[in-house]
Amino acid sequence: DQQVKQNSPSLSVQEGRISILNCDYTNSMFDYFLWYKKYPAEGPTFLISISSIKDKNEDGRFTVFLNKSAKHLSLHIVPSQPGDSAVYFCAASVGTYKYIFGTGTRLKVLA
Amino acid sequence: DGGITQSPKYLFRKEGQNVTLSCEQNLNHDAMYWYRQDPGQGLRLIYYSQIVNDFQKGDIAEGYSVSREKKESFPLTVTSAQKNPTAFYLCASNPQGGHSPLHFGNGTRLTVT
């Protein structure tokens, strides 16, 4: 049973526009959510996180939104740049050591 | 430079052989993790360790073993009992789990033929 789902395997966006990556989860006990960026043959790099007591967190071009009632998480990248082209993973944890990852969304930013 | 070092980057083994993947961190983190990545399946947790000399099974521990004799080191052994060992293996750490991001190494690609 996939507790964290990324239903869009891929997304293409024009440079300078907004990229929106989505993530749904099923476990209402998750209290910490993260987004990672990954290039091929490299480890994931942490981008941004959000605690379940918040509904929004910003860091430069990256904003994460959390809708607890819908069990939905999204990452907005504005403006999108070609260097943002990568696979993005969302992850969730329930306050301990178990981090559950989604299957990833491949973002392609077109120049 | 603090970070997590995984070696080697690429590893090839014959079926039936055990193989050990190295993971070293100099971040002074208490918790360490092993994940496996397969195409289309995201990252799945194999084992994690909260503290030296202690570790717990993750979701897919069968066919794997770990040790945590030093804070800095968390080697993973892929045994011959692992049915589908070919994968990309990622080691991670964080200060003490819960509400802190995982820091990842650059992974080891294991190919078993």
Side-chain angles (χ1 to χ4, degrees):
Chain A
D1 180 30
Q2 191 76 24
Q3 295 188 63
V4 178
K5 299 177 187 178
Q6 293 177 258
N7 292 317
S8 298
S10 63
L11 174 67
S12 290
V13 170
Q14 208 65 36
E15 182 180 5
R17 306 296 292 268
I18 183 171
S19 294
I20 300 177
L21 296 103
N22 294 304
C23 181
D24 296 300
Y25 61 94
T26 57
N27 188 345
S28 58
M29 298 299 292
F30 286 142
D31 61 358
Y32 182 59
F33 303 86
L34 311 93
W35 282 97
Y36 283 84
K37 174 181 178 179
K38 186 181 181 302
Y39 294 116
E42 292 185 12
T45 303
F46 169 70
L47 281 174
I48 192 168
S49 63
I50 187 167
S51 162
S52 61
I53 63 172
K54 294 186 171 183
D55 54 19
K56 178 182 172 181
N57 189 25
E58 285 181 83
D59 185 0
R61 295 187 297 116
F62 302 94
T63 303
V64 57
F65 294 92
L66 177 62
N67 182 333
K68 288 185 288 293
S69 60
K71 296 192 180 70
H72 181 79
L73 185 72
S74 63
L75 174 69
H76 292 208
I77 306 173
V78 184
S80 300
Q81 299 172 353
D84 295 330
S85 297
V87 177
Y88 289 78
F89 290 96
C90 64
S93 76
V94 68
T96 57
Y97 295 83
K98 201 162 183 184
Y99 292 70
I100 309 295
F101 284 79
T103 53
T105 296
R106 183 177 302 278
L107 173 65
K108 188 170 184 180
V109 179
L110 307 168
Chain B
D1 258 349
I4 298 178
T5 301
Q6 290 188 243
S7 60
K9 181 77 173 172
Y10 300 95
L11 193 51
F12 298 87
R13 280 294 182 271
K14 294 288 187 188
E15 199 173 316
Q17 293 178 334
N18 291 357
V19 59
T20 298
L21 281 60
S22 168
C23 177
E24 303 279 331
Q25 55 101 357
N26 60 3
L27 299 165
N28 200 34
H29 286 170
D30 288 311
M32 296 187 74
Y33 308 75
W34 275 104
Y35 283 87
R36 167 181 172 144
Q37 186 189 10
D38 295 283
Q41 293 205 44
L43 280 65
R44 292 183 291 166
L45 181 64
I46 304 172
Y47 268 98
Y48 65 96
S49 168
Q50 301 172 39
I51 198 167
V52 173
N53 293 323
D54 185 53
F55 47 82
Q56 282 76 42
K57 293 181 180 179
D59 298 317
I60 55 165
E62 186 175 347
Y64 299 98
S65 66
V66 292
S67 63
R68 187 88 187 274
E69 296 176 2
K70 298 187 299 181
K71 187 175 185 177
E72 306 80 22
S73 179
F74 191 40
L76 173 75
T77 297
V78 185
T79 76
S80 55
Q82 167 48 233
K83 290 184 171 55
N84 297 297
T86 294
F88 189 54
Y89 290 88
L90 287 157
C91 179
S93 70
N94 67 352
Q96 52 182 354
H99 286 228
S100 62
L102 300 179
H103 298 254
F104 283 89
N106 275 330
T108 292
R109 167 74 61 185
L110 173 65
T111 302
V112 177
T113 56

